[in-house]
Amino acid sequence: MTHYSRRKQWMNGSCEIEERPLQREKKKSEMNENDLLTEESRLFEQLCSTLSLSIAFKQVKKNKGKPGIDGVTLADFEARLDEELSQLQAELANWTYQPSPVRRVEIPKPGGKGVRLLGIPTVRDRVVQTTLKLLLEPIFDPHFSLHSYGFRPGRSQQQAVQAAQQIVNSGKPYVVDIDLSKFFDRIHHDRLIGRLGQKISDKRILRLIGNMLRSGVMINGVVTPSQEGAMQGGALSPLLSNIVLDELDQELEKRGLEFCRFADDCNIFVKSQKAADRVMEKVSQFIEKKLKLKVNQEKSQVAKSDAVKFLGFTVVNGTIAIAHKALQAAMSKIEALTPRGTHKTLETSLEEINQWYVGWSNYYSLTCYPSQLKKIEAHIRRRLRSRLVDQQKRKQHLYRKLVKRGVPQKQASKAVFSNNKRWQLSNTRAVTKAYPNSWFINLKGQEIRSERKLAHWFEVSQWIRLA
């Protein structure tokens, strides 16, 4: 089957893949097939369509985001949408469109281990990138490996973790965990354009993507040209990363290896330590010599699955659990949401905590151990009890407060007039009696997610020991 027929199958909905946004919009407006061109040799004409650009803007708006270096917000752009899209269409058509440098921002990594560099394109550049993504994804995605799960329609991190669990349980407990050093910053432009050119015959599209890759980064008002890399933060970057790493997937499949990859996070599973060491050596050589990328030797490892973190999870005794590092990162997040000396009320703090915790617990509900969620919920309450203790500036005030809340005088006195600091006090019987779990849950509205009794969960009393 040719690339053309595959793409037509995709666009007509005959492939078993989620319908793309361009198709849905086309059906809504009941347009005929000639309104949106599908041939790879004429992709540029479709890119220059105001319809395609308007569909892309709807996705950009849905994804939200900060303004780029020009300071134009999504609201500003939408206020003059017809004018902006018409101008963008004209600039693309007559080749006066120039991608702007991205605005560099630094996002702290979990656990305080450095920062992740992101680039924020302007709204108009995000519209063009999103249009390109909608046009190119149906061409490339059907050819990607079944073992690739990152940034693909109908695929998720949870699916990747479940696939890893199945491989481990099939008798391959050793993991080759390869970490790519600054992957997005080291993408080789010429090799990427070459890979694109294998399926895209419209050279104008390749030229435009090349211009985007070389548009540069603005740091403190100074523009630095981009000789390599694809800055994280753009709508097109995830697809480009999959196109680059699809070559790695093909090599692993050629070698008959079982693996799971989510973006640049790749785990390979084998039966023995000896096989794992051999695979680590050979695959690292392929990555560095053929793909022109760099393997981070310090972070890469060969270990049993229960010692390897994959997308925040680990496979222990054939079951899925939240990785120790992910739990520690959650504890740090709670501490950040419950600082000392804050002016916020307890209710306001709990509202912020709940907003974070609901999303966090939804993702990590893949664990088989709700006890891990219960541990997080207990830590939230202890942090808040510690704040309540700290708010009573003097021991006499704390003593009277505890007695007022029903704690026996002797018990309150023993707890308060000891040498314990506020953190130790927060876990004493006196304080937990004054502020029991039910007080936080029923009166203050703490979200409890460990009691949902999901089908794959063990009893909440069952704990797991992590490496």
Side-chain angles (χ1 to χ4, degrees):
M1 185 183 292
T2 66
H3 302 320
Y4 301 98
S5 57
R6 284 195 184 98
R7 191 163 192 275
K8 286 177 181 176
Q9 276 195 339
W10 182 294
M11 295 295 286
N12 292 332
S14 59
C15 287
E16 294 180 359
I17 300 175
E18 181 185 358
E19 190 175 62
R20 310 306 303 144
L22 283 175
Q23 292 173 276
R24 292 196 294 267
E25 196 72 19
K26 182 174 179 180
K27 287 183 178 180
K28 288 179 183 178
S29 57
E30 296 183 352
M31 299 173 62
N32 61 49
E33 292 183 357
N34 294 325
D35 289 322
L36 292 180
L37 306 177
T38 61
E39 293 82 356
E40 282 82 342
S41 60
R42 303 182 68 190
L43 281 174
F44 192 75
E45 280 76 10
Q46 188 172 344
L47 173 70
C48 295
S49 161
T50 52
L51 172 63
S52 297
L53 295 172
S54 64
I55 294 170
F57 174 74
K58 290 179 182 178
Q59 279 212 4
V60 172
K61 181 181 177 182
K62 182 180 179 181
N63 293 335
K64 301 180 181 180
K66 301 289 185 180
I69 63 171
D70 59 1
V72 176
T73 65
L74 280 167
D76 297 334
F77 193 92
E78 188 175 24
R80 49 179 190 274
L81 184 60
D82 291 341
E83 177 186 345
E84 289 282 4
L85 294 182
S86 295
Q87 182 178 347
L88 201 51
Q89 185 273 336
E91 290 180 12
L92 286 166
N94 60 28
W95 283 98
T96 58
Y97 167 75
Q98 289 293 329
S100 302
V102 297
R103 180 166 65 88
R104 166 70 61 81
V105 293
E106 296 181 351
I107 306 296
K109 291 184 178 180
K113 296 182 179 180
V115 295
R116 179 174 287 107
L117 302 179
L118 299 182
I120 301 180
T122 61
V123 175
R124 67 200 315 266
D125 288 344
R126 298 212 295 271
V127 170
V128 176
Q129 287 189 30
T130 302
T131 309
L132 279 168
K133 174 181 175 290
L134 295 176
L135 293 172
L136 299 183
E137 196 169 59
I139 298 172
F140 285 93
D141 194 274
H143 303 279
F144 288 154
S145 170
L146 294 176
H147 306 288
S148 168
Y149 294 87
F151 310 114
R152 297 182 60 190
R155 289 177 165 251
S156 66
Q157 291 164 297
Q158 287 85 348
Q159 289 174 343
V161 175
Q162 289 171 328
Q165 179 194 22
Q166 291 174 4
I167 297 173
V168 170
N169 289 342
S170 73
K172 295 185 176 180
Y174 288 89
V175 182
V176 179
D177 182 16
I178 297 179
D179 184 272
L180 299 180
S181 176
K182 298 181 179 179
F183 165 68
F184 281 92
D185 296 339
R186 289 195 165 101
I187 290 177
H188 194 282
H189 288 177
D190 291 342
R191 294 198 86 259
L192 172 56
I193 295 298
R195 296 286 295 178
L196 287 164
Q198 292 177 10
K199 289 185 172 64
I200 301 298
S201 56
D202 192 331
K203 303 300 182 185
R204 296 168 296 179
I205 293 291
L206 302 180
R207 175 184 169 188
L208 179 60
I209 293 175
N211 290 343
M212 289 179 168
L213 291 171
R214 294 187 294 271
S215 61
V217 180
M218 179 174 283
I219 308 172
N220 298 325
V222 179
V223 176
T224 302
S226 303
Q227 302 300 325
E228 62 179 2
M231 181 61 68
Q232 286 180 270
L236 196 58
S237 296
L239 177 60
L240 297 181
S241 70
N242 274 334
I243 291 171
V244 170
L245 291 176
D246 182 59
E247 195 170 355
L248 172 61
D249 296 343
Q250 291 180 17
E251 180 66 18
L252 297 179
E253 289 177 347
K254 180 181 174 183
R255 294 171 181 258
L257 297 170
E258 290 198 73
F259 65 97
C260 291
R261 183 177 67 78
F262 192 97
D264 58 331
D265 199 345
C266 182
N267 281 357
I268 307 168
F269 302 86
V270 294
K271 292 182 177 180
S272 67
Q273 176 81 36
K274 184 177 180 180
D277 291 335
R278 182 177 66 252
V279 169
M280 172 66 83
E281 180 184 358
K282 297 299 183 182
V283 173
S284 295
Q285 289 177 0
F286 176 83
I287 289 171
E288 296 194 337
K289 293 182 179 179
K290 187 73 182 290
L291 301 186
K292 309 299 183 184
L293 299 171
K294 186 173 179 59
V295 175
N296 188 327
Q297 299 295 343
E298 292 183 2
K299 293 185 177 180
S300 298
Q301 61 173 328
V302 168
K304 281 200 166 182
S305 65
D306 58 3
V308 175
K309 178 175 73 73
F310 182 50
L311 302 176
F313 294 93
T314 187
V315 180
V316 184
N317 299 328
T319 64
I320 297 173
I322 304 172
H324 177 70
K325 287 184 179 180
L327 287 173
Q328 292 302 111
M331 297 291 192
S332 298
K333 178 66 176 181
I334 294 167
E335 292 173 11
L337 290 171
T338 55
R340 292 187 64 177
T342 180
H343 65 282
K344 295 178 182 177
T345 64
L346 187 91
E347 290 78 7
T348 301
S349 292
L350 253 179
E351 185 178 341
E352 293 177 354
I353 292 169
N354 286 342
Q355 186 176 11
W356 161 77
Y357 181 60
V358 168
W360 187 91
S361 61
N362 281 342
Y363 175 76
Y364 283 104
S365 63
L366 190 63
T367 178
C368 294
Y369 303 91
S371 55
Q372 294 185 295
L373 302 183
K374 187 177 180 180
K375 180 179 181 180
I376 296 296
E377 293 161 0
H379 188 63
I380 291 171
R381 288 190 294 270
R382 186 170 180 186
R383 288 286 301 182
L384 294 176
R385 288 190 185 106
S386 179
R387 178 194 290 184
L388 291 168
V389 168
D390 197 46
Q391 287 174 349
Q392 307 302 316
K393 300 301 182 183
R394 296 186 178 182
K395 291 187 175 183
Q396 294 87 343
H397 295 169
L398 177 60
Y399 169 77
R400 287 197 291 268
K401 186 73 171 179
L402 296 180
V403 171
K404 185 178 179 180
R405 293 195 59 81
V407 179
Q409 293 182 355
K410 185 176 180 180
Q411 190 178 41
S413 177
K414 182 179 179 181
V416 172
F417 298 106
S418 63
N419 293 324
N420 289 334
K421 302 298 182 181
R422 72 181 189 115
W423 184 244
Q424 287 78 17
L425 279 171
S426 67
N427 204 37
T428 59
R429 281 191 173 185
V431 174
T432 55
K433 182 177 178 63
Y435 302 101
N437 295 357
S438 58
W439 185 79
F440 290 97
I441 297 167
N442 299 329
L443 295 180
K444 299 302 177 181
Q446 183 191 8
E447 284 281 354
I448 300 299
R449 312 286 285 181
S450 60
E451 298 177 354
R452 287 180 289 168
K453 299 186 183 299
L454 300 184
H456 64 282
W457 279 3
F458 295 125
E459 292 296 323
V460 74
S461 60
Q462 187 163 343
W463 292 81
I464 184 71
R465 186 177 297 276
L466 300 175

